[in-house]
Amino acid sequence: MEDLEDLGVLQMKSQSSRDRVKVLFKNETSKGKVKLIWLNYQGDEVDYGLIGHSKAMFMNTFLTHPWVCRLEKEDDDAEEEEEEYGEVFFQWPDSGKLRPVFEAQKFVEKMWQENDEELQNDLQHFLNGQLRMDVIIRNKYSPPSLVDYVANILTDQPWVTLDSVASLELPATLSEQLKADILRKRPLLTQDNWQQMNEHGALLEEESEADSDQEEENVENA
């Protein structure tokens, strides 16, 4: 698979179910719903449902469990639109690189390489199940606007942070895009607020735990 060579050894099937982590998958594609798929212990695909456009899905998963995603095709999509928007990817933290698979352990390794003490502390809390990781799903090709272009240049400057954006006195549209790009290039780690989870997300969390427990039983009994 493309863009996976620099991840080292990445198994396209789930390994252990020891280290549980919390992830919020966010559909930020140009259009359409995204199907979220878990690769189980045999490498088989397990459909976990659809994430609506501009919506998100909470998931309990494990460090060495890989996920893939696909754009759900609409019956009225034109063939040229399907070719343009048909592929979707997870946005990784190394310069916003897009890859067709997500695995929490490799994802954390890429973030750890930034050698940011505060970030590494947050990552440790994530690994301990105390923080949630927000992971963005995007189309590979999206024609950039002038605002996108300028924001992308600014996010590569080490002195531009979320806290410093307000002091730059930028136009509101550019300021908001810059904040969004900063978050995209550094996946957001947040405290989980279970009181705000919707019924769909809470149900998926319970199903995820049940499936993982069942898989553990299957492995132990094999």
Side-chain angles (χ1 to χ4, degrees):
M1 284 186 168
E2 59 184 278
D3 298 327
L4 299 182
E5 293 82 1
D6 59 342
L7 294 181
V9 178
L10 175 61
Q11 298 289 338
M12 294 302 290
K13 61 181 180 180
S14 293
Q15 302 300 304
S16 70
S17 296
R18 289 192 301 269
D19 303 304
R20 188 186 297 274
V21 291
K22 304 168 185 175
V23 177
L24 187 74
F25 293 104
K26 304 171 73 174
N27 179 0
E28 295 191 8
T29 59
S30 301
K31 58 178 292 187
K33 301 175 182 177
V34 169
K35 181 180 293 185
L36 187 64
I37 301 167
W38 171 52
L39 301 181
N40 69 13
Y41 296 93
Q42 291 74 44
D44 299 326
E45 296 185 353
V46 180
D47 187 349
Y48 264 74
L50 298 174
I51 308 175
H53 182 248
S54 298
K55 303 296 183 181
M57 181 186 290
F58 172 82
M59 192 62 61
N60 265 327
T61 184
F62 296 87
L63 276 180
T64 58
H65 285 202
W67 295 81
V68 296
C69 56
R70 296 196 186 96
L71 191 67
E72 182 74 0
K73 298 177 182 178
E74 301 289 345
D75 293 337
D76 57 351
D77 278 349
E79 184 175 345
E80 60 271 16
E81 288 183 340
E82 182 177 325
E83 292 178 358
E84 181 178 358
Y85 299 108
E87 291 187 290
V88 289
F89 301 83
F90 298 99
Q91 182 160 301
W92 283 61
D94 45 333
S95 301
K97 185 172 288 187
L98 302 180
R99 295 187 174 95
V101 61
F102 167 83
E103 185 204 76
Q105 180 167 287
K106 296 293 185 182
F107 206 82
V108 168
E109 288 174 2
K110 286 295 183 183
M111 295 181 72
W112 199 275
Q113 292 173 9
E114 293 189 26
N115 293 319
D116 182 316
E117 185 175 346
E118 182 178 352
L119 174 60
Q120 290 178 349
N121 184 58
D122 286 344
L123 288 172
Q124 194 59 57
H125 286 303
F126 167 70
L127 294 172
N128 292 336
Q130 298 167 312
L131 290 180
R132 183 195 74 210
M133 179 84 73
D134 289 9
V135 177
I136 292 172
I137 299 173
R138 289 184 50 202
N139 299 97
K140 188 166 187 177
Y141 301 108
S142 300
S145 64
L146 179 58
V147 170
D148 292 329
Y149 179 75
V150 174
N152 186 58
I153 292 176
L154 288 174
T155 54
D156 289 333
Q157 307 306 312
W159 47 270
V160 176
T161 65
L162 283 175
D163 294 332
S164 68
V165 170
S167 65
L168 299 179
E169 298 183 356
L170 300 170
T173 302
L174 178 56
S175 180
E176 291 304 311
Q177 184 62 46
L178 181 55
K179 291 178 182 178
D181 283 0
I182 290 173
L183 291 177
R184 285 193 183 99
K185 290 190 175 182
R186 174 177 290 184
L188 189 60
L189 287 158
T190 59
Q191 290 285 351
D192 235 358
N193 188 341
W194 302 103
Q195 300 299 322
Q196 296 179 359
M197 289 300 298
N198 59 40
E199 293 180 4
H200 187 53
L203 177 60
L204 282 169
E205 177 203 348
E206 293 170 3
E207 289 175 350
S208 178
E209 291 182 357
D211 288 348
S212 297
D213 291 342
Q214 183 61 51
E215 286 294 339
E216 285 180 311
E217 289 179 15
N218 291 343
V219 171
E220 290 171 359
N221 295 331

